[in-house]
Amino acid sequence: MEKFTIVADPQVKEDLKAARDFLNAKRKGFGAKFLQEYRDFLKNLQTNPMFQIRYKDVHCLPMKTFKYMIHFKVDEQTKEVHIYAVLSTHKNPNKHWL
């Protein structure tokens, strides 16, 4: 099976940093666990990115342990997964991303 290439917007780095800092403030070590889970989900997206489309051709993948969701589009022709945001499910994406 051919793998998809993961491409992330520059904003995703800021999303991950903010989530890490927030989670570490709640409980020491949670930030590192969050980032590890995110990396594990990226491996899954490389082989199977066809998750539910939530809006405007954007797929959303909820993280298992943390209340965050990965927002991305899939280009089947170029075999790319373009990640646009990693947002807390407690935030309104219209205010915090769109």
Side-chain angles (χ1 to χ4, degrees):
M1 174 178 271
E2 191 173 341
K3 287 189 175 185
F4 284 73
T5 301
I6 304 292
V7 179
D9 271 5
Q11 179 59 41
V12 172
K13 187 175 183 178
E14 296 301 317
D15 292 344
L16 294 172
K17 182 182 181 311
R20 182 199 65 206
D21 293 348
F22 173 78
L23 292 166
N24 276 335
K26 294 289 184 189
R27 186 169 175 188
K28 187 177 180 179
F30 262 26
K33 284 185 174 187
F34 168 80
L35 293 175
Q36 183 58 53
E37 185 172 312
Y38 173 76
R39 285 189 288 270
D40 292 343
F41 273 80
L42 292 184
K43 290 176 189 174
N44 289 335
L45 284 176
Q46 285 182 311
T47 56
N48 181 23
M50 298 307 173
F51 290 89
Q52 181 182 22
I53 294 176
R54 294 279 179 108
Y55 57 93
K56 297 181 185 178
D57 295 327
V58 175
H59 299 257
C60 290
L61 175 61
M63 296 180 73
K64 193 172 193 166
T65 306
F66 301 94
K67 294 184 186 312
Y68 283 80
M69 195 172 286
I70 302 169
H71 299 249
F72 61 95
K73 286 188 177 181
V74 178
D75 187 330
E76 292 186 70
Q77 289 183 330
T78 62
K79 297 288 187 195
E80 287 185 344
V81 174
H82 193 113
I83 300 174
Y84 292 99
V86 179
L87 298 176
S88 168
T89 58
H90 294 284
K91 293 183 179 179
N92 181 343
N94 291 323
K95 291 182 181 177
H96 297 280
W97 178 50
L98 298 175

